[in-house]
C-alpha cells in the first residue's frame, strides 16, 4: 500500500534501477538492498530474457567472466539475488539495508486526482479534467525504486509487513510483540516475497543472523503520530462511556523506528 515518512526533513538515499521481475511487486516499506543482474553484450544492449536498463553516463558495469553486470535494488533475500546469511550490513563490508518507497495506494490526492498509478497517464475531455495519475510508483514509468536508509520514524502499511496472524507485525500478535520490540526481516520464498518487517524471535523464516533493522513503536489508523485511545472514543461518543462497547480499532499502519546497522 504505502510507506509514510514521519521524520521531518529526512532525505532518501536515492533512486535506483529495480530488478524487473521484482520491482513492481513492492508495496512500500520492504527491506531492500543492492544486488546485480546481467545485461548482454555492450552496456545498453537489450536482450530478451535479461533485465532491461537505460544506458546513460552514470551506469556502472562490472565485467565479470565476460558478462556485464549492473546494480539493481531488490527485496529477494533468497540466496541468489541477495544473500540469506553473512553478507549484509550486520557485518563489516556488508550490504546497506534500505526501505522501499514504491506503493501505489494511500498517498492521497493532488488537484482532485488520486496519487498512485501509471506514471504520466491522464484522461481529459471537453467538460472533465481528471488530472494526472502521478507516481509515486516510479518503477511504473522508469523502472527505478526510491530507497530510504536514514534512521527515523516511518509508518508501513500492514499489508507490506509480515502478516502471520500469531507472530507477525500485526495487532493479532498478542504474545511476541511489545512496544520497542526489535525488528528484523523475512527471507524470500519466491517472487514478490521477502524483506517484510517482522518481530525478532517471531519464528518466521528470516535471514540468518536476524539483523536488527529497527524497533516497533505502535499501530495506528492514519500514519499519524497521535492515535486516540479507545477509552476516550467511548467517553466522548457513548452515553454511558462504556469502554466494552467499543470494538477493536481498524489499524492500517505500523509505526517503526528504522535504524539499520551500518558496520
Amino acid at each position: 500500500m504505502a510507506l509514510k515518512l514521519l521524520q521531518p526533513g529526512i532525505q532518501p538515499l536515492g533512486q535506483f534501477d529495480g530488478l524487473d521481475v521484482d520491482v513492481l511487486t513492492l508495496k512500500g516499506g520492504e527491506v531492500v538492498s543492492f544486488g546485480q543482474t546481467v545485461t548482454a553484450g555492450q552496456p545498453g544492449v537489450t536482450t530478451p530474457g535479461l533485465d532491461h536498463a537505460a544506458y546513460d553516463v552514470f551506469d556502472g558495469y562490472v565485467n565479470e567472466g565476460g558478462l556485464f553486470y549492473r546494480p539493481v535494488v531488490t527485496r529477494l533475500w533468497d540466496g541468489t539475488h541477495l544473500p540469506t546469511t553473512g553478507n549484509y550490513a550486520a557485518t563489516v563490508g556488508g550490504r546497506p539495508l534500505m526501505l522501499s518507497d514504491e506503493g501505489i495506494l494511500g498517498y492521497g490526492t493532488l488537484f482532485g486526482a488520486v496519487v498512485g498509478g501509471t506514471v504520466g497517464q491522464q484522461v481529459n475531455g471537453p467538460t472533465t479534467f481528471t488530472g494526472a495519475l502521478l507516481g509515486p510508483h516510479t518503477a511504473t514509468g522508469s523502472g527505478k525504486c526510491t530507497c530510504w536508509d536514514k534512521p527515523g520514524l516511518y509508518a508501513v502499511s500492514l499489508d507490506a509487513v509480515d502478516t502471520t496472524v500469531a507472530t507477525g507485525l500485526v495487532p493479532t500478535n498478542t504474545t511476541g510483540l511489545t512496544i520497542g520490540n526489535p525488528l528484523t526481516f523475512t527471507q524470500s520464498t519466491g517472487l514478490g516475497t521477502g524483506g517484510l518487517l517482522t518481530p525478532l524471535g517471531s519464528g518466521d523464516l528470516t535471514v540468518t543472523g536476524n539483523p536488527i533493522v529497527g524497533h516497533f513503536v505502535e499501530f495506528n489508523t492514519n500514519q499519524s503520530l497521535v492515535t486516540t485511545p479507545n477509552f476516550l472514543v467511548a467517553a466522548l461518543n457513548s452515553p454511558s462511556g462504556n469502554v466494552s462497547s467499543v470494538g477493536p480499532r481498524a489499524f492500517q499502519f505500523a509505526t517503526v523506528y528504522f535504524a539499520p546497522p551500518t558496520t
Side-chain angles (χ1 to χ4, degrees):
M1 183 176 176
L3 173 73
K4 300 289 187 175
L5 312 177
L6 304 181
Q7 190 79 9
I10 199 169
Q11 296 292 324
L13 180 64
Q15 289 187 336
F16 307 95
D17 281 330
L19 187 65
D20 285 355
V21 297
D22 174 59
V23 67
L24 290 177
T25 70
L26 296 172
K27 296 179 178 179
E30 297 91 345
V31 177
V32 298
S33 190
F34 295 118
Q36 66 180 21
T37 188
V38 177
T39 182
Q42 297 300 311
V45 175
T46 300
T47 299
L50 296 181
D51 218 62
H52 296 178
Y55 175 48
D56 58 60
V57 296
F58 297 108
D59 285 338
Y61 292 83
V62 177
N63 188 354
E64 179 184 350
L67 297 175
F68 287 99
Y69 288 86
R70 65 178 181 83
V72 287
V73 166
T74 179
R75 46 91 73 91
L76 293 178
W77 299 92
D78 57 6
T80 300
H81 298 89
L82 291 174
T84 56
T85 181
N87 191 20
Y88 39 72
T91 60
V92 175
R95 298 168 190 255
L97 303 179
M98 305 165 288
L99 292 178
S100 68
D101 184 16
E102 295 307 321
I104 58 174
L105 299 174
Y107 287 90
T109 60
L110 179 65
F111 301 115
V114 175
V115 176
T118 304
V119 177
Q121 288 190 352
Q122 59 183 11
V123 180
N124 300 319
T127 59
T128 60
F129 176 71
T130 60
L133 291 174
L134 305 173
H137 207 306
T138 51
T140 307
S142 67
K144 294 185 181 296
C145 175
T146 306
C147 298
W148 299 81
D149 68 325
K150 308 299 188 299
L153 284 177
Y154 298 82
V156 182
S157 56
L158 294 183
D159 62 344
V161 299
D162 180 7
T163 58
T164 306
V165 173
T167 58
L169 187 58
V170 287
T172 51
N173 182 353
T174 59
T175 59
L177 184 62
T178 58
I179 303 299
N181 203 115
L183 301 175
T184 184
F185 56 96
T186 61
Q187 279 191 33
S188 301
T189 57
L191 294 179
T193 66
L196 304 179
L197 292 174
T198 188
L200 183 67
S202 65
D204 299 317
L205 182 62
T206 58
V207 292
T208 303
N210 294 318
I212 296 174
V213 296
H215 297 267
F216 171 68
V217 178
E218 67 171 349
F219 293 113
N220 57 61
T221 58
N222 58 1
Q223 77 273 353
S224 172
L225 292 177
V226 178
T227 299
T228 305
N230 282 341
F231 76 90
L232 287 181
V233 175
L236 292 173
N237 294 285
S238 171
S240 64
N242 184 0
V243 178
S244 63
S245 66
V246 181
R249 307 210 70 183
F251 293 117
Q252 297 179 7
F253 292 86
T255 299
V256 302
Y257 176 72
F258 182 68
T262 57
T263 58

